[in-house]
Amino acid sequence: MEGEFTVKLLRNIEAAEHANKGRESLKYKIWKENKKMWVVAAPANSPYDDFTRFIRKAFSQAFIGHIGSKELAAFALVSTVFLRFAQGILLGMANGLETLCGQAYGARQYHMLGIYLQRSWLVSVIASTVLLPVFIFTTPILKAIGQEDEIAEMAGTMALWLIPVIYSFIVSYTCQMYLQAQSKNMIIAYLAAIALSIHVFLSWLLTVKYKLGVSGAMISTVLAFWLPNIGQVIFVTSGGCPETWRGFSTLAFKDLWPIFKLSLSAGAMLCLEVWYNTVLILLTGNMKNAEVAIDALSICLNINGWEMMISLGFMAAASVRIANELGSGNSKAAKFSITTIVVTSFGIGFVLFVFFLLFRERIAYLFTENNDVASSVGRLSPLLAFSILLNSVQPVLSGVAIGSGWQSTVAYVNIGSYYLIGVPIGILLGYVYNLRVQEFSILLTYSSFF
């Protein structure tokens, strides 16, 4: 048979089923939709893989920050610029798998999910290998764009430590999308919670108890990223998904080009969002008092990212719910899902908005002992809080695009809003009108909301 991509996944459900749904009360519909939503989103708002992956990196940053300010600046560069560069590509490509698995599951084409997963593994391994030179030559790259030699050398050493983390993203993201489509992501939550506990213990043991410094923090980071992946693969291949995993198949090597195209579209959509913070860090590093500026900005982006991880849980819920409903041919239910998830995510974002307005620079001392850095974070707190509020909605809308297969359209929107409007305005304000780095960075961030 010619490629499975010619098979139409979207199909109509029985007319009687539609009629029964039409007679349901609004209260019951909201209750039922929330149950389906939280099956996917709840783990993301507790010890879920995306959330704890971010926390693992935050803990590494916290331990390294207490080693020294230059070490913190180097880690901020390599994690926010280079690691996020790779992470954006691989997570974006995995979102293409999320579209396929979600719609296939809604259309009851269960056997295709395992095939799609294996195809995504092949495509992601190729992409990760292509990215390796960026991490191998981190030091000369940073020196070429004007970073301080000492910070660039330290960042280059950290980048080599993070190469195994790049390959961990392949298993982590693809298995996550595969399991989410089936609402079986609680196993990821359990594994991620265990990995987080191990990471905190090892970070303390190696950096505080045995004083191994940066090397100790990086060893703990690598182990923490790989441990849950091993558990996920064992779960998938050892009977955890009997309907959708039929074993390894040679069909995985067929129709790779359509998978590659969809993965590129999904990758472009997400990368254009994720890399925007990278632009902030790079431009900040070339301004006055770069060390304090990078530290303060990286802490703000880190805090912003904590809330973003919660919103990404709702993004996952939106993509799964929309894909499943479209796969079963029920567009009305898909629209109702969008409304429910957006309202819920915005409500949580508002609570966090108030929280960060109240605590301001006190939060910065979790990451640094430098009073200048903490003061800079305090001055940014009101704008940071507004950013958190707005970010509670945007990822959910991206989830709608993923579930609908609109990644290419959103990629064009992101090019316009982030890079044709945001970056030029930020450069104008920062370099022409000489605004302080803090205001420059936040204004550049806010221009993304165009």
Side-chain angles (χ1 to χ4, degrees):
M1 177 184 291
E2 199 167 339
E4 289 88 344
F5 280 81
T6 62
V7 177
K8 186 177 180 181
L9 294 178
L10 305 184
R11 60 184 187 179
N12 296 323
I13 62 176
E14 291 80 358
E17 194 173 336
H18 279 298
N20 289 334
K21 289 187 176 182
R23 289 193 293 268
E24 293 174 349
S25 67
L26 178 61
K27 182 178 179 180
Y28 179 73
K29 286 181 179 179
I30 294 175
W31 169 250
K32 188 168 69 172
E33 181 58 39
N34 269 276
K35 285 174 62 179
K36 293 178 180 178
M37 174 189 71
W38 283 107
V39 165
V40 179
N45 299 307
S46 56
Y48 186 54
D49 192 41
D50 267 339
F51 188 59
T52 54
R53 187 185 299 113
F54 188 85
I55 294 178
R56 289 195 293 269
K57 192 173 77 172
F59 269 113
S60 296
Q61 182 173 359
F63 278 102
I64 290 173
H66 287 284
I67 295 172
S69 59
K70 288 190 180 296
E71 286 82 357
L72 176 60
F75 185 78
L77 278 173
V78 74
S79 63
T80 307
V81 178
F82 295 95
L83 188 62
R84 185 165 292 184
F85 173 79
Q87 188 176 10
I89 291 176
L90 296 173
L91 176 57
M93 295 180 74
N95 280 331
L97 174 66
E98 188 171 16
T99 302
L100 294 172
C101 287
Q103 294 190 4
Y105 193 79
R108 297 181 177 88
Q109 299 287 326
Y110 300 130
H111 67 286
M112 286 304 304
L113 272 74
I115 302 299
Y116 289 146
L117 175 62
Q118 293 171 58
R119 289 174 179 170
S120 187
W121 282 342
L122 293 172
V123 171
S124 296
V125 166
I126 294 172
S128 298
T129 304
V130 170
L131 291 172
L132 286 185
V134 175
F135 287 79
I136 294 172
F137 300 105
T138 293
T139 297
I141 291 173
L142 288 176
K143 288 181 179 179
I145 60 178
Q147 299 298 329
E148 296 179 13
D149 288 352
E150 188 176 352
I151 294 177
E153 292 286 349
M154 199 171 299
T157 301
M158 292 180 178
L160 295 177
W161 274 106
L162 290 176
I163 287 177
V165 175
I166 302 171
Y167 284 95
S168 77
F169 291 148
I170 298 173
V171 179
S172 180
Y173 288 136
T174 54
C175 287
Q176 175 182 322
M177 304 308 173
Y178 168 80
L179 293 170
Q180 274 179 186
Q182 307 168 67
S183 298
K184 290 186 176 182
N185 48 340
M186 281 306 298
I187 182 63
I188 308 176
Y190 300 141
L191 293 170
I194 294 171
L196 177 60
S197 301
I198 294 173
H199 179 47
V200 174
F201 173 72
L202 284 178
S203 295
W204 170 83
L205 184 69
L206 298 177
T207 61
V208 178
K209 179 72 173 177
Y210 291 107
K211 301 186 183 302
L212 295 181
V214 172
S215 296
M218 301 310 295
I219 291 172
S220 176
T221 299
V222 172
L223 291 176
F225 274 89
W226 265 105
L227 287 175
N229 293 343
I230 296 172
Q232 287 180 44
V233 172
I234 293 173
F235 177 81
V236 170
T237 59
S238 301
C241 304
E243 285 186 319
T244 58
W245 180 263
R246 310 285 177 83
F248 293 97
S249 172
T250 56
L251 290 175
F253 294 92
K254 297 182 179 180
D255 293 320
L256 283 178
W257 179 241
I259 285 279
F260 188 74
K261 288 195 297 183
L262 180 61
S263 296
L264 282 181
S265 297
M269 184 198 84
L270 191 65
C271 288
L272 290 169
E273 298 176 15
V274 173
W275 291 347
Y276 196 71
N277 289 340
T278 299
V279 175
L280 290 176
I281 293 291
L282 288 175
L283 291 176
T284 301
N286 288 313
M287 302 182 78
K288 294 180 179 179
N289 201 11
E291 185 177 320
V292 171
I294 292 174
D295 288 352
L297 181 58
S298 66
I299 289 172
C300 287
L301 293 177
N302 209 327
I303 293 171
N304 195 39
W306 281 56
E307 188 277 335
M308 180 66 77
M309 290 301 104
I310 296 175
S311 297
L312 287 177
F314 290 107
M315 183 184 84
S319 62
V320 171
R321 292 294 302 124
I322 301 309
N324 287 170
E325 294 296 347
L326 291 179
S328 64
N330 195 347
S331 59
K332 187 175 180 180
K335 293 177 182 178
F336 188 76
S337 297
I338 295 171
T339 302
T340 302
I341 297 170
V342 168
V343 170
T344 305
S345 182
F346 182 81
I348 294 175
F350 182 78
V351 173
L352 294 173
F353 162 77
V354 174
F355 176 83
F356 286 111
L357 273 181
L358 294 176
F359 285 91
R360 300 171 71 88
E361 70 271 10
R362 281 172 283 184
I363 298 174
Y365 287 106
L366 294 173
F367 300 92
T368 183
E369 297 174 356
N370 190 312
N371 292 330
D372 291 335
V373 174
S375 297
S376 296
V377 173
R379 290 194 296 269
L380 294 174
S381 293
L383 295 174
L384 174 64
F386 278 104
S387 179
I388 286 171
L389 184 64
L390 294 173
N391 279 341
S392 66
V393 176
Q394 188 270 337
V396 178
L397 300 181
S398 294
V400 174
I402 292 168
S404 305
W406 296 340
Q407 288 93 334
S408 296
T409 301
V410 178
Y412 289 122
V413 173
N414 286 343
I415 290 174
S417 61
Y418 284 97
Y419 298 96
L420 298 184
I421 297 176
V423 171
I425 289 177
I427 293 174
L428 181 68
L429 294 174
Y431 289 94
V432 177
Y433 291 98
N434 296 316
L435 291 183
R436 288 183 305 170
V437 65
Q438 288 85 3
E439 283 84 354
F440 156 73
S441 301
I442 291 299
L443 285 170
L444 185 55
T445 301
Y446 270 101
S447 61
S448 70
F449 292 106
F450 284 107

